[in-house]
Amino acid sequence: MPPVGDMVRDNVFSAQRLADLVSALPNMRVVHLSSSSVHGRIEVDRLTAETPIIYPDLYGETKHLAEQILAASTEAVVSLRLPAIIGQGATRNWTVSVLAKLRAGETVRIFNADAPFNN
């Protein structure tokens, strides 16, 4: 996991800068890419906007704070809580770290294997 300062900078401070920009440009619309990690421990089969937030990790907390900052700034922002995104250059997510462990022949522990979500 990246250092705390990086997550706060990348998620919270950048959300505040974006909120400031959106408020200065009244015709701007923003789709904010958040994370399903906001929910923390997921105890339901399907995520909705009403799914409870239960013990998110620091990453989930910073993404949630970013959502709140943007929501308070304007109605021109919508936040989407996406699952892991994988692509070229992806280095900082659980799925990529599992793949790296598998390639290196390291042990991968699976927690809550029967659950539909494993944040």
Side-chain angles (χ1 to χ4, degrees):
M1 184 162 285
V4 171
D6 288 356
M7 283 190 283
V8 171
R9 179 198 64 220
D10 295 348
N11 296 327
V12 179
F13 293 163
S14 62
Q16 185 59 61
R17 286 192 302 272
L18 181 59
D20 294 342
L21 177 65
V22 171
S23 66
L25 301 170
N27 293 323
M28 180 176 274
R29 303 289 183 259
V30 174
V31 176
H32 170 243
L33 303 182
S34 188
S35 171
S36 59
S37 293
V38 164
H39 293 284
R41 190 175 75 222
I42 299 170
E43 298 179 340
V44 296
D45 293 334
R46 185 174 298 223
L47 289 174
T48 69
E50 289 76 35
T51 299
I53 295 172
I54 304 171
Y55 306 121
D57 63 8
L58 182 62
Y59 175 75
E61 287 186 26
T62 61
K63 293 300 272 187
H64 189 231
L65 186 53
E67 290 178 9
Q68 292 172 319
I69 289 167
L70 291 166
S73 69
T74 179
E75 292 181 5
V77 175
V78 62
S79 290
L80 304 178
R81 292 180 179 165
L82 303 172
I85 297 175
I86 304 170
Q88 185 174 4
T91 59
R92 291 184 356 187
N93 69 49
W94 181 84
T95 310
V96 171
S97 68
V98 167
L99 180 59
K101 285 182 180 181
L102 290 172
R103 285 183 174 157
E106 297 176 18
T107 300
V108 175
R109 290 195 168 93
I110 298 174
F111 300 95
N112 204 17
D114 295 331
F117 303 100
N118 280 291
N119 281 341

